[in-house]
Amino acid sequence: MPTQSPSQHDQQDAQRREIAHSLTGYMQKRMGKPTSETKVYAERIRSGEHDDFMRRISIALQEQSRLILADLEGESVDAQGPDIPTLLFMHDTDHRVSSVPSRRGQRRTAKDPENVLAGLSQQAAAAREDPFVAISEPYGPCVAPLESLEVIKLSELTTETHHRGKILFVERIGIVIQSSIRTLCAIKDDDGEAEAVELYHRDASLAEDLPSETFFFIKEPYFTLSTRGFPVIRVDHPTDVVNPDSSPKGLSKLASKQQVSRTASEWKDVGNGFFAKQEYFKAGRAYQSALKAGAEGKLRLDVSRNLARVDLTLGRHEQARVNAINAVSDGSDPALVALDVKAYFRAASASYQLRDFPQSEEYSMKLLALASHDEDGLRLLERVRARLREIKDGEHDFQQLVKRLSRQQPRVDIADFTKRTVAGTSKGRGRGLFAAEDVSLGGVILCEKALCATFEWESENSSTKTYDVRLKKFDGFPAALWMSTVQKLQQTSPQCITQVTSLTGRHQGLASKAVVADGSHIIDAFQIHDIIAANAFAIPTPAKTQKTEAFGVMKTIVPAGTDSAKAMNIPDNCALFSYASLVNHSCLPNATRVFIGDAIVLRATRAIRKGEEILHSYVMPTVDVAVRHTRMELIWGFRCDCTLCKVEGRESDDIRQRRAAVVEEAGKLADDLTTHLVEASQRSEVVRRGERLHARLKATFKSEIYDGLPRAGMSHIQAALAQIYCFRKEYTRCRTMIIEAFDCLGWTLILHKAGATAAELMSPKPGHETRFCEEMSKKDRKLAEQVRELARTVYVALNGVEYGIGKIDADLGASGTSTGIPTR
């Protein structure tokens, strides 16, 4: 290895000093950081031990200068890489991770409550503005019941240690700080020792759920450093925090410290008081105390029924169903019939929210057997039976669903329709979905409501950036969806949990095992993270007005790769589907997906035979093959080997780059042509330019290789030219261009005079063979009707619903009236 000359060494030292000085200035002036904090980074850069960090910071400082200059000159430019706060967070996290071995096993420094609370207050302002979360090395949740664990004190904790087989019994003190998907608070034990706790996936209700001076258990505590470098007990799995209400007899002495001695009746009155003041967590805890205090007979039924109402209010639907059924009397007392009606209604409502519609129908029928004219029960039964029809026949009113969507109501009330598909093993792909019956072109393959969906305007967490220490890269990851899914799974049915945990992800966690401890289903938060990373969809924002753009192009959730700017492009709205996620990828798909609010609809883009695998595109085929493969390997761990990928993979980089350049130029011109249609149609030089671009683009696809395959990027300019030809009444050229466009999309368009269905006018290309027969005349109204019906079929196949085609059809009809095109 060559040694550096003294002059080279001096130059490097000077460069480090210069960058350290520039970073210090930026942090103080732009970020408002104190001198003590800026010195840490300056010293690291000057030490020469962090040259990779120095190089990244140097590039970022140059980027900031470029952005500032552009802003001063009134230009609009995009950032090309991570900003400086992001790089500082990455560096801090990597530095902490690398030092874990040296810290592991060190005894914790004793702290009193005043010191911990003072430190917590200092973190409050920064935490609320902190857009970053570090995903640590995965570790499993505690699966052991409380009674099998040994109680330890805070003084016994050691750093960077998962204290397996141990529990802490502590009380919460001081303030609660909510920051993105984590919550900071302070605790102390009965020795007076205190410590900070960093809880993940707990919502803003923590202060109500675990009010100040309330004791609770932390199972197998993990003592480490927080995302900002101060000592904390980190709890990633929500089931590792246990309320003493569920503590076993062996720990009842500890739990009794916070219990007030009241009778069951008195606890019920306390709960009613809290409920009247809308303090639902306190009400629920009081009702649970009433049951533990030995409520019997009618009192037990009353408490259980009230507790079910609290659970419904708090979204604890599985608990609500259990408590509601426990509130049903044995029928021997006629005075309890009216109360049984309430209990059955709450059980039916909870089952409806759990999407267990048959069970909801059963409880609704029992309700109506007791009170046949109960209006709430009748309305609920009507909704339930509408859902059951959707399950059986797929009778979804997509038109109305779209019309009702808005930012205020982005979710739909529907049942899943999956009977046309069956899960099975896909050769080389793992699990997949297969057609259980023949599906025609445009037919609904499946419809599913998301298990969980988040919209950017509903959550402050949507802008949170997650840094995965395993990959040492930022993910464009939906942190809000992660938090919501973990919380949802704690309140749902065991069957739903199993469905989600059976999906694939990098960290297997508990796999699909249903593990229960202390009355709760154990959730591995890291397993859910990786399931979301591999299976979640980005979904469009519901349109504010009724228009055809209601369904936007899906943005793929892409972990950080070589393009750091795109890597941190966090999707605004995301959803996790436990069934549709099984559909595998192909760049030559037979299905397309559209979203209606938080529902996904898959339709067939060609006729699908029974037993055939359902495939759609994870990454749009219009994306360059090298980029497609990089994304597939990063996110899903596979490389597509379809015919299209093989053909594109054999092409040179030069021809693909030339094609991409022409596609971009042709796309811009196509936008201009369609935007200024009348003017463009009268300018022959503009039309000729479009034709030349079309010819250049077409020349990049060798016909002997691409015959029978889609040619990405062609359709935009082809559609624009077809519109121009139609407006200029050059109908033969218009038809020729449309037919060629279909050919480039991978479809054969068969036009003939004989009466035919819309599906028969279109077929997927059989292999590399293209068949076409045209006998269309200008005045052939029969054929025009067939083509219109074909247009409707294709529109529905690609957009999911007919919504919007009426306006297009009307526009074409109006255009036809003035230009002589045959109309209906």
Side-chain angles (χ1 to χ4, degrees):
M1 181 175 178
T3 58
Q4 289 185 328
S5 66
S7 60
Q8 288 176 321
H9 187 272
D10 291 343
Q11 286 176 358
Q12 284 195 348
D13 278 349
Q15 183 185 25
R16 292 182 185 122
R17 288 194 299 271
E18 181 182 351
I19 294 172
H21 178 74
S22 299
L23 177 60
T24 298
Y26 179 89
M27 292 181 67
Q28 290 176 341
K29 295 176 183 178
R30 290 274 173 179
M31 299 175 65
K33 298 294 183 182
T35 304
S36 59
E37 187 172 339
T38 61
K39 278 184 177 179
V40 172
Y41 299 104
E43 289 171 1
R44 288 180 186 172
I45 289 175
R46 284 195 293 263
S47 71
E49 296 177 5
H50 304 275
D51 277 356
D52 182 60
F53 171 58
M54 179 198 72
R55 283 190 290 272
R56 292 185 177 190
I57 285 292
S58 177
I59 294 170
L61 287 168
Q62 294 173 32
E63 174 72 355
Q64 287 297 318
S65 299
R66 184 181 73 87
L67 294 175
I68 292 170
L69 183 61
D71 185 55
L72 291 173
E73 294 178 354
E75 297 178 7
S76 177
V77 293
D78 295 326
Q80 299 300 311
D83 56 21
I84 291 175
T86 299
L87 289 173
L88 295 178
F89 183 82
M90 291 168 63
H91 175 66
D92 284 342
T93 304
D94 290 341
H95 188 66
R96 282 197 301 275
V97 170
S98 65
S99 63
V100 163
S102 63
R103 295 197 311 273
R104 184 172 290 125
Q106 296 177 2
R107 295 304 296 261
R108 171 185 165 275
T109 303
K111 304 186 191 77
D112 59 37
E114 289 75 17
N115 288 335
V116 173
L117 290 173
L120 205 62
S121 297
Q122 293 173 5
Q123 294 294 325
R128 290 192 181 98
E129 299 173 359
D130 194 349
F132 306 112
V133 167
I135 311 302
S136 70
E137 284 288 344
Y139 66 93
C142 179
V143 297
L146 276 173
E147 58 191 351
S148 69
L149 303 175
E150 178 188 350
V151 178
I152 59 171
K153 299 297 182 68
L154 288 172
S155 60
E156 299 176 67
L157 298 181
T158 58
T159 58
E160 300 303 335
T161 303
H162 297 279
H163 296 80
R164 296 299 184 188
K166 313 292 184 182
I167 57 167
L168 288 170
F169 186 68
V170 293
E171 65 174 303
R172 188 182 71 75
I173 58 174
I175 60 175
V176 172
I177 304 168
Q178 186 72 30
S179 170
S180 65
I181 64 171
R182 66 183 180 274
T183 304
L184 290 170
C185 66
I187 57 168
K188 72 173 182 179
D189 60 17
D190 54 6
D191 283 349
E193 280 277 301
E195 192 55 85
V197 177
E198 193 172 58
L199 296 158
Y200 284 79
H201 312 298
R202 300 295 296 248
D203 60 26
S205 64
L206 178 70
E208 297 177 67
D209 195 14
L210 293 174
S212 185
E213 300 181 0
T214 295
F215 285 82
F216 60 96
F217 297 98
I218 300 178
K219 300 168 77 171
E220 299 186 336
Y222 173 34
F223 188 54
T224 182
L225 296 181
S226 74
T227 54
R228 283 303 182 187
F230 61 94
V232 294
I233 297 168
R234 176 165 174 154
V235 183
D236 287 273
H237 310 291
T239 47
D240 284 349
V241 173
V242 181
N243 193 297
D245 289 336
S246 58
S247 61
K249 291 181 180 178
L251 295 170
S252 58
K253 276 190 176 181
L254 289 173
S256 66
K257 290 185 177 184
Q258 70 176 74
Q259 294 293 335
V260 178
S261 178
R262 290 190 174 102
T263 66
S265 180
E266 289 172 336
W267 274 119
K268 176 198 167 188
D269 293 338
V270 170
N272 291 345
F274 283 134
F275 192 92
K277 293 186 290 185
Q278 298 183 350
E279 297 182 18
Y280 301 118
F281 285 101
K282 292 179 181 179
R285 193 173 295 109
Y287 292 141
Q288 288 167 347
S289 295
L291 293 175
K292 291 183 71 174
E296 296 290 344
K298 183 178 181 300
L299 179 60
R300 180 184 62 80
L301 299 179
D302 289 343
V303 171
S304 296
R305 189 169 53 254
N306 291 351
L307 187 54
R309 187 178 179 188
V310 168
D311 291 332
L312 279 173
T313 304
L314 296 176
R316 298 170 174 172
H317 300 122
E318 183 67 20
Q319 295 176 36
R321 177 161 61 179
V322 171
N323 286 317
I325 293 305
N326 287 340
V328 177
S329 73
D330 60 8
S332 60
D333 186 351
L336 296 178
V337 169
L339 299 177
D340 286 346
V341 168
K342 285 186 178 181
Y344 277 128
F345 180 77
R346 289 168 190 172
S349 298
S351 297
Y352 190 96
Q353 295 301 322
L354 290 166
R355 305 182 60 71
D356 188 348
F357 300 116
Q359 185 71 76
S360 184
E361 182 185 40
E362 180 183 334
Y363 292 145
S364 298
M365 292 297 292
K366 288 182 177 180
L367 179 164
L368 293 171
L370 298 175
S372 60
H373 298 293
D374 184 86
E375 292 184 1
D376 290 336
L378 288 168
R379 279 194 295 268
L380 179 57
L381 182 61
E382 183 181 2
R383 289 176 64 196
V384 168
R385 287 184 169 167
R387 303 291 83 79
L388 291 173
R389 287 193 297 273
E390 291 167 352
I391 292 172
K392 181 182 177 183
D393 303 317
E395 293 182 3
H396 299 89
D397 190 342
F398 293 128
Q399 296 278 75
Q400 287 300 316
L401 289 173
V402 174
K403 287 180 180 179
R404 292 172 187 157
L405 286 178
S406 66
R407 286 173 67 93
Q408 291 73 37
Q409 192 177 16
R411 293 172 176 81
V412 295
D413 182 16
I414 61 167
D416 300 341
F417 175 66
T418 60
K419 64 180 291 186
R420 286 183 176 164
T421 59
V422 62
T425 301
S426 173
K427 186 177 180 181
R429 294 189 177 101
R431 297 172 70 206
L433 290 185
F434 297 81
E437 59 185 63
D438 292 345
V439 185
S440 61
L441 168 66
V444 174
I445 299 170
L446 67 83
C447 176
E448 182 186 4
K449 180 179 169 67
L451 167 83
C452 195
T454 54
F455 296 88
E456 56 90 15
W457 61 87
E458 295 179 329
S459 173
E460 296 178 357
N461 303 334
S462 59
S463 60
T464 299
K465 298 175 183 177
T466 59
Y467 181 68
D468 195 329
V469 300
R470 294 170 293 178
L471 301 175
K472 296 200 172 186
K473 292 173 183 175
F474 266 98
D475 284 356
F477 182 80
L481 181 64
W482 184 22
M483 177 174 173
S484 298
T485 302
V486 172
Q487 291 175 348
K488 177 74 174 285
L489 291 176
Q490 293 175 75
Q491 314 299 342
T492 192
S493 65
Q495 295 83 357
C496 182
I497 295 171
T498 301
Q499 260 191 320
V500 173
T501 54
S502 64
L503 296 174
T504 56
R506 186 170 50 208
H507 174 63
Q508 292 298 305
L510 299 172
S512 57
K513 297 175 186 174
V515 181
V516 179
D518 305 310
S520 297
H521 290 274
I522 306 300
I523 306 297
D524 187 324
F526 295 107
Q527 180 184 2
I528 303 305
H529 173 279
D530 286 2
I531 285 172
I532 289 173
N535 296 279
F537 291 86
I539 57 178
T541 298
K544 293 181 181 179
T545 57
Q546 300 176 12
K547 56 182 182 179
T548 57
E549 292 85 355
F551 309 109
V553 176
M554 171 182 157
K555 290 194 296 184
T556 306
I557 301 172
V558 185
T562 53
D563 189 338
S564 55
K566 291 181 180 178
M568 291 186 291
N569 182 20
I570 303 171
D572 294 332
N573 316 311
C574 303
L576 179 64
F577 300 90
S578 58
Y579 190 71
S581 294
L582 295 176
V583 180
N584 285 311
H585 164 87
S586 176
C587 300
L588 296 170
N590 55 17
T592 187
R593 61 181 174 268
V594 293
F595 299 94
I596 304 176
D598 63 337
I600 186 171
V601 180
L602 259 66
R603 285 190 182 266
T605 53
R606 62 170 175 78
I608 300 174
R609 298 184 304 276
K610 179 179 178 179
E612 190 175 347
E613 184 172 6
I614 308 301
L615 301 167
H616 68 152
S617 296
Y618 292 5
V619 184
M620 301 305 290
T622 51
V623 176
D624 182 76
V625 63
V627 177
R628 293 204 307 269
H629 287 174
T630 298
R631 290 185 182 180
M632 291 172 195
E633 289 173 348
L634 274 172
I635 305 172
W636 301 287
F638 74 87
R639 176 183 282 246
C640 182
D641 62 351
C642 70
T643 306
L644 183 63
C645 283
K646 290 177 181 176
V647 167
E648 290 182 335
R650 287 196 295 266
E651 293 181 313
S652 66
D653 292 342
D654 177 64
I655 194 167
R656 295 206 315 272
Q657 289 169 3
R658 284 195 292 114
R659 180 184 300 149
V662 180
V663 166
E664 183 177 3
E665 186 180 354
K668 290 178 181 178
L669 180 61
D671 287 336
D672 289 341
L673 290 175
T674 52
T675 303
H676 309 286
L677 181 61
V678 177
E679 179 186 353
S681 66
Q682 297 170 356
R683 295 177 57 187
S684 297
E685 73 280 6
V686 175
V687 178
R688 284 195 295 270
R689 182 186 165 204
E691 291 170 339
R692 286 195 299 270
L693 283 171
H694 173 251
R696 284 173 55 197
L697 187 54
K698 189 175 180 180
T700 66
F701 296 97
K702 293 183 179 180
S703 58
E704 66 272 18
I705 297 177
Y706 276 92
D707 189 21
L709 289 174
R711 276 146 283 179
M714 292 283 291
S715 59
H716 201 173
I717 189 66
Q718 288 169 331
L721 288 172
Q723 282 186 283
I724 290 287
Y725 296 149
C726 181
F727 196 86
R728 294 171 70 159
K729 300 183 181 180
E730 298 177 8
Y731 301 129
T732 300
R733 298 181 74 186
C734 175
R735 288 196 301 271
T736 301
M737 187 58 67
I738 291 171
I739 291 164
E740 185 178 318
F742 273 107
D743 183 68
C744 289
L745 290 170
W747 279 330
T748 298
L749 187 58
I750 304 171
L751 303 177
H752 50 77
K753 287 184 176 180
T757 65
E760 289 171 338
L761 292 175
M762 179 184 291
S763 65
K765 294 182 178 181
H768 294 268
E769 182 182 339
T770 302
R771 293 176 294 121
F772 171 68
C773 173
E774 180 183 10
E775 297 179 13
M776 188 174 185
S777 66
K778 178 178 176 181
K779 297 181 180 179
D780 191 338
R781 292 178 178 269
K782 180 75 173 178
L783 192 53
E785 179 69 21
Q786 292 175 9
V787 175
R788 279 184 180 273
E789 188 59 33
L790 172 62
R792 299 181 72 87
T793 303
V794 173
Y795 183 92
V796 170
L798 298 179
N799 290 277
V801 296
E802 289 190 5
Y803 189 72
I805 196 171
K807 182 177 184 303
I808 297 173
D809 209 17
D811 290 345
L812 288 173
S815 174
T817 302
S818 61
T819 59
I821 298 175
T823 58
R824 295 186 187 213

